[in-house]
Amino acid sequence: MDSQTSQPSQASQSPHTFQVDLRGLVDLLSHHLYSSPKVYLRELLQNAVDAITARRAEQPDAPAAVRLYAEGGTLRVEDSGIGLTESDVHSLLATIGRSSKREDGLQAARSDFLGQFGIGLLACFVVAERIRVVSRSARTPDAAPVEWTATDDGSYTVRTLPHEARPEPGTTVHLVARAGAGEWLTEERVRSLARDFGSLLPYDVRVGDEAIAELPAPWDRTHPSPATRRVALARHCHDLFGFTPLDTIDLNVPLAGVRGVAYVLPSAVSPAQRASHRVHLKGMLLTERAEQLLPDWAFFVRCVLDTDSLRPTASRESLYEDETLAAVREALGERIRSWLTGLAAGDPERLAAFLSVHHLGVKSLARHDNEMLRTMLPWLPFETTDGRLSLEEFALRHPVVHFTRTVEEYRQVAPIASAQGIGVINGGYTYDSELVEALPSVRPGTVVSELDADTVTAHLDAVDPAEELALSGFLMAARAKLDPLGCDVVLRAFHPLSVPALHLDDRAARHEQARADAEEQADDLWAGILGSLRGSAPRARLVLNHLNPLIRRISSLRDPELIGTATESLYGQALLMAQRPLRPADSALLNRAFIGLLEWATHTEPGKDDLR
């Protein structure tokens, strides 16, 4: 191979510069990076605030003022910041992404700045067709003011101006609205956006003559008493989020550079709903939809805060997920946890009001946090046979804390267990059974026991053997009728008298029934596999109440067909009372029993047994 052909050509080694289509880039910014054109004003405020911060780093007594004037589709923004020289303009405004804060030894103060000057001005093209910048440097007082004028086609001009064009250091930005964007540069819209973005900025920011900043922040203001402070913060919450909070929680974490407040929602929300919070970065509103700021379990609060430690994403409209954010999230979660423990220790009435609305969130927290479990578990409300009680109250009433794992089981046994003096907690709701089982770890000596069908049956009074023997024919016919459904029939005496029959089963019995149903519908191979899984679990039971007058009349029947119809009716009624989901076989049984009773009721054959 020829040696010259193996050498890269001189032309291929020469550097090339990317050509940027500014209109295409502006379209990319407006449709994909920024959520709304309104961010243009935030970028202008950021540039102005950063310029003042840079000047004060060198001249601590320098003025700190930002003025915005909107009129006739134009906007003028003046600041008393560090300003630019002609070389600064060429370097910063002609190169996208370059930041003045990286130059002149100010890298150490980088955390004090909010944005990048070039990118910030570029964002203004979202609403403007022409941008004019007039600036005078505070670092080089003798330098002439410089003017940079750019249009949205990507062209720009730079020229120096007489000293009188900008007597004092600082920068003035002029915007001329692009077609269709004039509403964004009206005085009313500019004032609204400036107030939204800049209400916590530490400098004198005004739209016309109206001050925008409202310092100190609502959570830092002094009040005559804690009560008046709560009222003032509640008003702030209503103005900001549109609701009056149940309570307020201070979020002061100095080590994380965070100050703010969390507002407790006055109504329950789904734990799966992502909460949105307002976050200010060094006084400038960063986002009002920060979802990852608090732990997932803290879905019952909305917060607003100011921070100087969190890192924004490229669009500066959300937070960057990193170790700092994780640490802040943990610290804020600890503040909310401390508020809860403080209520438990010193303000049970406010705690009860909170738990009546947000018990699900606290239950979720208690499952994963041992300290919160010990503090809050005795206070959490549960559905019980004694009404809605805390575990502490329930344990004081009952030596054994019985619970069910499903709502269906609770509905089955609750009326009967209550009549027998057995207290039962419904553990079928989210987290409840796990928390009830954890009660002994919080309240030593407490006995917790799962309540099943056998336990309930054992508490029901047995019928006199002679009476049960006399009814053996009736019981045999009833058992034969329900045997295909996987249900036994037993006779007991229990209260309340108004309940004629009780359907009892447990999870093992339900699993066995489900297996048997599947086996009936399967092919030979699958049926053989399911048959090998047959268990020895107890079957469901239809417990007939010997004290009930209707059961006494039914048990005196002699007609096997009528006994079967009556038994099916009692079985169906017991299922409905327990609010159990009906299988197809159960629905068919109910229809069959209903028709059978109608046929019997309208039958006029002499000598027919009746139930009257």
Side-chain angles (χ1 to χ4, degrees):
M1 180 179 294
D2 185 76
S3 60
Q4 290 189 356
T5 61
S6 65
Q7 296 290 331
S9 68
Q10 188 67 27
S12 67
Q13 297 184 47
S14 61
H16 297 278
T17 302
F18 282 108
Q19 299 299 310
V20 177
D21 179 357
L22 185 58
R23 286 179 176 172
L25 188 56
V26 169
D27 181 72
L28 180 67
L29 290 174
S30 60
H31 288 93
H32 300 284
L33 182 63
Y34 295 128
S35 62
S36 166
K38 69 180 183 181
V39 298
Y40 88 91
L41 193 69
R42 183 197 64 196
E43 298 294 341
L44 287 174
L45 286 176
Q46 284 183 350
N47 285 339
V49 168
D50 284 346
I52 294 173
T53 301
R55 184 175 181 184
R56 285 203 157 184
E58 300 179 1
Q59 305 171 18
D61 296 331
V66 181
R67 298 291 183 266
L68 297 91
Y69 304 95
E71 182 180 2
T74 64
L75 174 65
R76 185 172 85 254
V77 182
E78 301 177 353
D79 70 65
S80 58
I82 193 68
L84 301 172
T85 63
E86 183 177 3
S87 62
D88 292 335
V89 167
H90 283 291
S91 174
L92 301 175
L93 298 184
T95 305
I96 295 171
R98 183 71 62 82
S99 173
S100 62
K101 298 90 182 181
R102 296 176 180 171
E103 307 296 334
D104 299 312
L106 287 179
Q107 177 64 30
R110 184 75 179 99
S111 64
D112 292 332
F113 300 106
L114 298 171
Q116 290 183 320
F117 190 68
I119 289 290
L121 276 182
L122 184 64
C124 294
F125 279 119
V126 172
V127 298
E129 67 176 9
R130 185 161 60 90
I131 302 174
R132 176 170 169 258
V133 178
V134 176
S135 187
R136 182 170 183 173
S137 175
R139 292 196 187 111
T140 313
D142 296 335
V146 61
E147 177 192 70
W148 176 87
T149 305
T151 59
D152 59 3
D153 63 1
S155 63
Y156 73 93
T157 60
V158 179
R159 66 184 180 123
T160 58
L161 301 176
H163 284 275
E164 56 269 19
R166 177 82 199 193
E168 299 295 329
T171 300
T172 302
V173 178
H174 303 259
L175 302 185
V176 177
R178 64 191 306 150
E183 63 169 314
W184 292 103
L185 271 63
T186 62
E187 183 176 11
E188 182 180 359
R189 178 62 67 90
V190 168
R191 182 184 297 107
S192 174
L193 293 178
R195 190 177 299 281
D196 198 33
F197 285 120
S199 62
L200 299 184
L201 289 175
Y203 302 136
D204 180 16
V205 180
R206 296 175 182 268
V207 176
D209 295 328
E210 183 176 340
I212 297 303
E214 299 176 351
L215 295 178
W219 48 85
D220 287 331
R221 296 170 189 169
T222 57
H223 297 275
S225 68
T228 56
R229 182 176 187 269
R230 279 199 298 269
V231 170
L233 288 176
R235 188 181 304 112
H236 174 251
C237 175
H238 190 274
D239 293 341
L240 204 60
F241 294 116
F243 65 85
T244 300
L246 278 178
D247 207 347
T248 59
I249 308 168
D250 284 316
L251 300 178
N252 183 15
V253 189
L255 292 179
V258 171
R259 287 191 63 82
V261 63
Y263 295 114
V264 181
L265 291 167
S267 56
V269 294
S270 168
Q273 179 178 331
R274 300 292 294 181
S276 296
H277 311 286
R278 289 177 63 95
V279 177
H280 295 256
L281 181 60
K282 306 177 187 71
M284 182 73 72
L285 178 66
L286 178 70
T287 179
E288 51 192 357
R289 296 187 301 275
E291 296 182 347
Q292 70 274 48
L293 185 65
L294 296 181
D296 290 340
W297 55 261
F299 59 84
F300 48 83
V301 299
R302 297 290 181 272
C303 70
V304 53
L305 55 82
D306 187 28
T307 176
D308 59 15
S309 62
L310 298 179
R311 176 183 171 191
T313 58
S315 66
R316 295 195 288 283
E317 293 187 276
S318 59
L319 298 172
Y320 188 82
E321 185 67 52
D322 57 11
E323 293 181 358
T324 302
L325 178 57
V328 168
R329 182 164 51 234
E330 182 178 350
L332 296 179
E334 181 59 35
R335 291 295 181 274
I336 298 174
R337 185 186 290 109
S338 298
W339 169 78
L340 285 171
T341 55
L343 289 186
D347 201 337
E349 290 186 2
R350 286 170 65 199
L351 177 64
F354 166 75
L355 290 178
S356 68
V357 178
H358 296 296
H359 56 274
L360 190 59
V362 179
K363 286 179 179 180
S364 173
L365 172 59
R367 290 170 61 240
H368 304 291
D369 189 307
N370 290 331
E371 180 180 348
M372 187 56 61
L373 180 70
R374 289 190 298 271
T375 303
M376 301 303 298
L377 184 56
W379 299 92
L380 291 171
F382 288 79
E383 181 182 352
T384 80
T385 49
D386 294 350
R388 195 161 185 81
L389 297 176
S390 68
L391 290 185
E392 180 69 23
E393 293 175 286
F394 189 85
L396 290 174
R397 298 185 184 187
H398 300 279
V400 177
V401 177
H402 290 288
F403 73 99
T404 63
R405 290 194 182 276
T406 68
V407 174
E408 289 80 9
E409 291 172 351
Y410 178 80
R411 289 170 178 168
Q412 279 184 331
V413 303
I416 307 303
S418 180
Q420 311 306 312
I422 306 173
V424 185
I425 295 175
N426 184 357
Y429 296 116
T430 306
Y431 314 133
D432 283 7
S433 61
E434 300 173 60
L435 294 173
V436 173
E437 288 182 297
L439 184 58
S441 67
V442 175
R443 197 176 188 274
T446 304
V447 179
V448 173
S449 175
E450 182 178 356
L451 187 67
D452 55 22
D454 288 334
T455 304
V456 176
T457 305
H459 280 79
L460 304 181
D461 294 333
V463 178
D464 181 84
E467 293 187 46
E468 186 168 2
L469 181 60
L471 299 176
S472 59
F474 163 76
L475 292 174
M476 288 180 61
R479 287 165 182 157
K481 195 66 177 178
L482 296 186
D483 183 68
L485 297 173
C487 183
D488 291 333
V489 178
V490 297
L491 189 66
R492 293 289 188 273
F494 56 87
H495 292 274
L497 300 180
S498 58
V499 178
L502 177 67
H503 183 272
L504 292 177
D505 64 1
D506 54 22
R507 285 184 302 282
R510 288 196 294 276
H511 291 164
E512 174 61 20
Q513 184 60 55
R515 186 208 59 78
D517 291 343
E519 182 179 357
E520 288 183 3
Q521 301 173 13
D523 56 32
D524 292 342
L525 175 61
W526 187 237
I529 295 174
L530 292 173
S532 68
L533 299 176
R534 183 180 296 110
S536 58
R539 286 147 59 94
R541 274 154 285 180
L542 181 67
V543 184
L544 304 180
N545 187 359
H546 188 55
L547 300 180
N548 180 268
L550 178 61
I551 295 298
R552 286 183 175 273
R553 291 198 296 272
I554 293 176
S555 63
S556 65
L557 294 173
R558 296 294 179 264
D559 184 346
E561 183 178 345
L562 188 53
I563 290 175
T565 300
T567 302
E568 288 181 332
S569 300
L570 290 169
Y571 174 82
Q573 187 264 353
L575 285 179
L576 293 176
M577 290 297 293
Q579 302 182 45
R580 290 288 306 279
L582 299 180
R583 300 170 297 165
D586 297 330
S587 298
L589 175 144
L590 279 172
N591 290 330
R592 184 171 63 248
F594 178 71
I595 297 299
L597 288 176
L598 286 178
E599 290 179 347
W600 172 84
T602 57
H603 200 283
T604 58
E605 181 182 342
K608 189 72 175 178
D609 287 323
D610 60 53
L611 299 179
R612 292 173 292 179

